[in-house]
Amino acid sequence: MLIKKIFGVLLLLAMIALPQTTSAEKTDWFERGYNFRNIRTIILFDTTFNPSLGYGNSIEARNLQDTYEQNSRKLKCNVITEAQARRTIGYELGINLDSMAYSNPAQARQIIMQNAYRIADAWVLANVDNLANTYYVEPARTVWEERRETSYYYDSRGRRHEEVHYIQVPVTYPPRRVDVTSIQMSMQVYEARTGAVIFARKDVRDRQEYQAQKGMFGRITNSFFEDVGKKIRG
């Protein structure tokens, strides 16, 4: 009984100490008639961000892109980055797509998509639709908690004994700030020859943690590539 009580207290403390996911929701659609096992090579376009987020070409955005590319290994097929696709397709077409990407990135991407079938079976797009760091104040609260008490007594022979018992006591916690990181992403897989969407996901998550976007982004993209990889492997 004592061991169970101690374990229960430790579990409660762990739950309080660890950040808690308040919500996580994935919505998928995929083309049921498409044979994903035909995919051998995929072009991985760089992650884009809603312009209102102000990420642009920031260090944070580059770190997230590195995580994105690392997690794409879950696809278990040949992955070509957007930069590699620019060089390969640009060489075939006699166009300097690297230079174009600086002046008109949308046009450079469009040319890659139109010619993706030359080097790949599909391509992937990912966009961070929303990313926010907010907080709320949890008001002061009083809860009843179990407290361990130890008492000692002596028997008729003068021997000392220990007696453990538990009592319920009121404990008041002061107000506290709770930080929340929210992120929403949209990700799609396109068939290279037709340009048609064959897999799409919307992932929305909130987490009670201060500026946890890197870890959340990693879990979202890891889950996406893992699930697409399962379809490719059949």
Side-chain angles (χ1 to χ4, degrees):
M1 180 64 71
L2 177 59
I3 294 176
K4 289 184 177 179
K5 289 181 179 294
I6 294 174
F7 177 77
V9 172
L10 292 175
L11 180 61
L12 177 61
L13 291 174
M15 292 176 65
I16 293 173
L18 291 174
Q20 300 296 307
T21 299
T22 55
S23 68
E25 180 180 355
K26 294 186 295 187
T27 304
D28 289 348
W29 176 88
F30 65 93
E31 177 56 63
R32 298 186 182 278
Y34 184 79
N35 187 356
F36 286 84
R37 286 175 292 183
N38 289 333
I39 296 177
R40 295 292 179 269
T41 302
I42 283 181
I43 297 173
L44 187 71
F45 283 93
D46 294 345
T47 304
T48 55
F49 298 83
N50 186 324
S52 66
L53 299 178
Y55 261 62
N57 197 31
S58 64
I59 293 176
E60 292 84 0
R62 293 184 181 186
N63 284 331
L64 294 183
Q65 179 62 30
D66 289 343
T67 299
Y68 179 66
E69 292 182 11
Q70 290 170 6
N71 287 342
S72 70
R73 297 169 186 169
K74 294 281 185 177
L75 292 171
K76 301 297 184 182
C77 67
N78 184 36
V79 176
I80 300 174
T81 66
E82 183 172 353
Q84 291 170 336
R86 279 198 303 268
R87 290 191 291 269
T88 304
I89 292 177
Y91 178 80
E92 288 192 14
L93 300 178
I95 303 173
N96 189 340
L97 289 179
D98 280 329
S99 177
M100 183 184 295
Y102 284 103
S103 60
N104 195 338
Q107 184 179 2
R109 274 196 163 197
Q110 190 63 34
I111 291 174
I112 294 174
M113 292 175 184
Q114 291 171 346
N115 294 275
Y117 68 90
R118 297 172 179 267
I119 61 173
D121 306 298
W123 74 73
V124 174
L125 294 182
N127 186 68
V128 179
D129 305 316
N130 185 48
L131 197 160
N133 296 295
T134 58
Y135 73 92
Y136 64 90
V137 177
E138 189 176 85
R141 66 200 189 283
T142 299
V143 297
W144 287 89
E145 295 184 357
E146 193 172 59
R147 177 170 296 173
R148 181 180 186 268
E149 288 194 347
T150 303
S151 60
Y152 302 92
Y153 67 92
Y154 294 87
D155 61 21
S156 58
R157 296 184 179 181
R159 290 176 299 189
R160 186 171 183 256
H161 297 273
E162 178 183 292
E163 188 175 80
V164 176
H165 56 279
Y166 294 85
I167 61 172
Q168 295 290 324
V169 296
V171 179
T172 299
Y173 290 94
R176 71 182 183 105
R177 168 175 167 149
V178 180
D179 291 286
V180 179
T181 301
S182 304
I183 184 170
Q184 175 178 317
M185 288 191 67
S186 300
M187 293 158 285
Q188 303 87 26
V189 181
Y190 292 79
E191 203 276 329
R193 289 198 171 275
T194 64
V197 178
I198 54 177
F199 186 93
R201 168 170 291 177
K202 178 181 179 182
D203 200 320
V204 182
R205 303 192 185 201
D206 297 311
R207 188 174 181 84
Q208 291 182 359
E209 189 174 348
Y210 179 69
Q211 294 189 346
Q213 55 265 30
K214 184 176 182 180
M216 294 172 69
F217 177 90
R219 286 186 287 276
I220 288 174
T221 55
N222 184 75
S223 173
F224 173 74
F225 288 127
E226 190 172 66
D227 291 345
V228 174
K230 288 178 181 177
K231 289 187 176 297
I232 292 174
R233 296 188 297 274

